[in-house]
Amino acid sequence: MDAHTERTSAANMTVYPILFAISLGHFLNDAMQAVIPALFPILRSTMELSYTEIGWIAFALNMTSSVMQPVVGLWTDRLPSPRFLPLGMAASLLGMAGLALAPNFWFVLLSVLLVGIGSAVFHPEGSRVVYLAAGARRAFAQSIYQVGGNTGNALAPLFTALIFVPFGQKGAAWFMLAAAVGITLLWRVSHWYGHELGCRPAPSQTKKAQRTDPGHPVAFALALLVFLVFARSWYSAGISNYYQFYLMETAHISVREAQVYLFAFMIAGAIGTLVGGPLADRFGKRNLILWSTLGTAPFALALPHAPLSLALPLLLIAGFVLSLSFATFVVYAQELLPNHVGMASGLIVGLAFGMGALGAVVLGNIADLSSLNTLMMLCSALPLFGALAVWLPKDRT
């Protein structure tokens, strides 16, 4: 076997230990991000925050990471930086310390910005590690990576019920230990990543036949993909940031009880993410994006009108179906821009998903100016935009 054949064989092998390690790092990173919405009921009570101010906190977190992720991705496409992985986790550690001690709204915003910066630095390089370790199973590998992050996000309601209700915002200090574990883990992953960069040719060398700059069909597909993720993110922002308050207002349940419903939506999303990868590999990425986004619409539309007894199953189904295509969006973007894997990941995981932060502010204003019921009704229609996925190029195209 010659050297070229050996490199090709290695590139097609899936490196599961690294995939599971980076997925765990993603879990820890997103669990620390989940601390912020988990603190919303506590901060609203102790600091007397409005829904608009809660929206601004969500905006600060997501916009920091969304604006920076494509920039970091573009930089690391040209100059990969394995040390960004532990450095991003270190920034989140500082953010957790700040949240535990924050005396006012502005200090909370500063701490949240640190967590956002840590996430922006982590995600593009984490996606590149997955790309290198995936071998021939890219959608499945991406689903392993993303399920770590989705599971971390899904823990937000449990953090509220088990940590922040009894201990208040000082409970955020416990997550400094999670950050320390993450720094150690990602330091080891960065060594493998650096070694792989030295052994494999750059994507630009292996794909010379493909143009570096996207043409008009690719640019249209990428713009449509970003819009679909944008609509999906606004729906998720409405559920994750405000549905707990909607239940507390309309069903008159406690903060702790409301977390059960929010957790159901998020953990179903984590399961859907894991299931979606193999489905995309088998039935096609474009098909799964269409079925997943549009398929959520019936359950989303029914949710605001359903009695409390049906809210839980509707949330479970909506969260599961919506998240089937979570990892697929990233892989689809990477295949549209094969020479810019980091930037493609940043556009989808960062910019497009992070634009849900803008949705959090807008939705918060809607709740303050009208009602939470109006907010939920508007959110329920957002998955209908999934019908636009029919204009995405098919996988073979």
Side-chain angles (χ1 to χ4, degrees):
M1 185 181 293
D2 60 28
H4 174 73
T5 305
E6 288 179 358
R7 284 196 300 268
T8 303
S9 177
N12 288 328
M13 289 179 59
T14 304
V15 188
Y16 288 102
I18 293 299
L19 283 179
F20 291 130
I22 197 66
S23 180
L24 178 57
H26 199 186
F27 168 81
L28 294 170
N29 179 85
D30 284 26
M32 283 182 285
Q33 284 187 258
V35 165
I36 294 159
L39 273 170
F40 284 168
I42 308 303
L43 295 176
R44 185 166 190 266
S45 173
T46 58
M47 296 185 184
E48 300 181 348
L49 302 181
S50 68
Y51 290 125
T52 301
E53 287 174 319
I54 287 173
W56 277 113
I57 294 172
F59 179 84
L61 171 66
N62 293 306
M63 279 301 289
T64 305
S65 62
S66 70
V67 169
M68 288 187 62
Q69 273 198 47
V71 176
V72 173
L74 184 59
W75 170 268
T76 56
D77 281 332
R78 298 175 180 176
L79 187 65
S81 307
R83 296 295 181 263
F84 274 14
L85 292 169
L87 285 175
M89 195 67 69
S92 295
L93 187 151
L94 293 175
M96 290 299 105
L99 281 172
L101 302 172
N104 55 49
F105 171 72
W106 296 106
F107 204 96
V108 169
L109 277 183
L110 178 61
S111 302
V112 165
L113 287 173
L114 284 170
V115 178
I117 290 169
S119 179
V121 170
F122 167 81
H123 276 103
E125 287 297 81
S127 290
R128 191 188 308 280
V129 169
V130 175
Y131 191 84
L132 291 174
R137 307 191 66 188
R138 288 183 184 168
F140 178 60
Q142 190 67 222
S143 70
I144 291 175
Y145 172 62
Q146 296 294 350
V147 79
N150 279 12
T151 305
N153 275 317
L155 295 180
L158 297 184
F159 294 159
T160 302
L162 302 178
I163 297 176
F164 297 122
V165 168
F167 299 110
Q169 73 181 80
K170 286 186 174 21
W174 287 103
F175 293 89
M176 294 171 65
L177 295 175
V181 171
I183 291 170
T184 304
L185 173 71
L186 293 176
W187 184 266
R188 296 180 67 86
V189 171
S190 71
H191 282 294
W192 177 88
Y193 177 22
H195 177 265
E196 287 298 300
L197 291 174
C199 292
R200 298 191 188 188
S204 58
Q205 293 176 315
T206 59
K207 298 183 181 288
K208 285 181 180 179
Q210 301 185 29
R211 61 188 167 208
T212 300
D213 297 318
H216 292 298
V218 174
F220 170 78
L222 194 62
L224 180 55
L225 195 71
V226 168
F227 177 79
L228 289 170
V229 180
F230 180 85
R232 181 194 184 285
S233 301
W234 274 50
Y235 180 70
S236 293
I239 298 296
S240 13
N241 291 316
Y242 300 109
Y243 190 68
Q244 57 186 318
F245 298 115
Y246 172 77
L247 286 178
M248 290 160 61
E249 181 180 288
T250 58
H252 308 292
I253 62 177
S254 68
V255 172
R256 194 185 294 265
E257 290 172 313
Q259 305 314 305
V260 174
Y261 295 85
L262 192 54
F263 178 71
F265 177 77
M266 292 183 166
I267 199 65
I271 297 169
T273 299
L274 187 60
V275 172
L279 290 178
D281 284 332
R282 181 171 182 180
F283 297 108
K285 301 172 189 66
R286 179 258 200 184
N287 291 336
L288 188 65
I289 289 171
L290 174 63
W291 299 340
S292 169
T293 311
L294 188 58
T296 306
F299 310 103
L301 290 167
L303 186 61
H305 308 284
L308 187 64
S309 59
L310 291 180
L312 196 61
L314 284 173
L315 284 167
L316 283 168
I317 298 171
F320 177 82
V321 175
L322 185 66
S323 292
L324 285 172
S325 59
F326 188 95
T328 307
F329 275 104
V330 179
V331 178
Y332 194 97
Q334 289 175 342
E335 294 187 356
L336 284 172
L337 298 172
N339 293 338
H340 299 286
V341 172
M343 187 178 72
S345 303
L347 279 171
I348 300 303
V349 181
L351 183 58
F353 279 107
M355 289 307 286
L358 179 60
V361 175
V362 173
L363 297 174
N365 274 283
I366 291 171
D368 282 332
L369 295 173
S370 55
S371 68
L372 286 169
N373 186 62
T374 302
L375 167 64
M376 287 297 117
M377 294 289 288
L378 289 172
C379 283
S380 69
L382 290 170
L384 290 171
F385 284 110
L388 298 176
V390 296
W391 280 287
L392 288 173
K394 293 183 179 179
D395 291 25
R396 275 183 297 213
T397 307

